[in-house]
Amino acid sequence: MRFWLISGLAVLLGGGAALAESSYPSPASPWDGAAYVDFYFAHSNGHQALPHLRSPEGQALLARLTDHGNIERILASSAPVGEKRRQLGLIVMSIGAARGAYGMSLAVGEPLAEELARVQAFGLYAIARAAALGSSSPPVSMWTTSLRTAVESVGEDAAFSPEQRAFLVDAIAAELPTLGPLLSRREREQMAAFLGQIGGSSSDQKLRQAIGRLLTAIEEL
C-alpha cells in the first residue's frame, strides 16, 4: 500500500512531487492538495521530523495538517468539480501516508499517540468528503481500509489512552453515515462485534458510552 500511495502522488503531480522542497509548508496559510504533498515529501525525502505537540512549531503544523478548513475552502471554491476531486485526492493520499509514518514512529517508541489519533480522525473526515464528492481516486478499497484501521486502533489499549480511543470512536461515528455504506453487511457486523467486545471489557465510562453510540449508528445503517 505504501508503494501505491507514493506512486499515486507522483502520478497526480506529473512526477514532480518527489522534488518538493525539504521544508514543511507554512502553517500560517491554508493548505491545498499540493501543500499536503509537499508536507509528505518534506518528511519522506527531506527527512523532516514529524510534527509533534511538544513544541509550538509542531503544534502549529499539526493544527494546519488536520484543519478541516483546508478541505472546506476547496469545496466552497468556484473550481470545477473535477479539480475539487483532484485536490481532495491529493489530501487523502498524503494524509494516508502521514498516518502510516506516525504509526511506524509510534510502533518504535515515539510518543506520538495523540498526534496519530488526530491524523487518523482527519483522514476519515477527508475520505468522507471525497466520497461525498464522488471522487474515484484513491479507490474505495483504500477508503474502507482507512475506516477499518481506525476501528482497529480503538482496540489498541497499549498504544492509546481511553480518551484517545473515545476520540477515535467519535470520529468514526461522525463519518459513518458516508463511509459505513461502503462496507458490506458482514463487514459492518464484524465491526460491531469487535467494538462490542472492547466496550464490554473496558472500565472507562466515556469510552463505553462512545462505543455504545457508534454501535447504535452501525445498527441504523
Side-chain angles (χ1 to χ4, degrees), residues 4-14 17 37 40-41 90 93-94 97:
W4 190 96
L5 285 168
I6 296 173
S7 299
L9 287 168
V11 169
L12 283 170
L13 289 187
V37 174
Y40 172 72
F41 280 106
L90 291 172
M93 286 192 290
S94 299

Side-chain angles (χ1 to χ4, degrees), residues 151-221:
V151 172
E152 291 169 0
S153 294
V154 176
E156 296 178 4
D157 56 353
F160 297 100
S161 69
E163 292 80 9
Q164 290 162 349
R165 296 161 73 199
F167 169 75
L168 282 171
V169 170
D170 286 338
I172 294 166
E175 310 309 337
L176 193 68
T178 301
L179 300 180
L182 301 178
L183 300 173
S184 68
R185 180 176 178 178
R186 178 172 177 78
E187 287 174 321
R188 294 197 296 270
E189 290 173 347
Q190 291 173 336
M191 180 186 298
F194 176 74
L195 291 166
Q197 290 178 346
I198 296 171
S201 62
S202 175
S203 61
D204 187 83
Q205 182 178 4
K206 290 184 178 180
L207 177 57
R208 292 199 310 271
Q209 291 174 341
I211 289 176
R213 293 191 295 270
L214 179 52
L215 290 174
T216 299
I218 293 173
E219 291 176 359
E220 294 175 349
L221 286 175

Side-chain angles (χ1 to χ4, degrees), residues 84-134:
K84 294 179 181 179
R85 289 173 176 165
R86 189 185 75 87
Q87 290 285 330
L88 263 62
L90 291 172
I91 293 174
V92 166
M93 286 192 290
S94 299
I95 205 70
R99 186 210 63 77
Y102 274 102
M104 178 63 72
S105 295
L106 180 64
V108 298
E110 291 292 324
L112 294 172
E114 178 66 22
E115 290 86 344
L116 176 55
R118 295 188 189 189
V119 168
Q120 280 191 292
F122 177 77
L124 292 176
Y125 173 83
I127 289 169
R129 303 290 85 72
L133 195 62

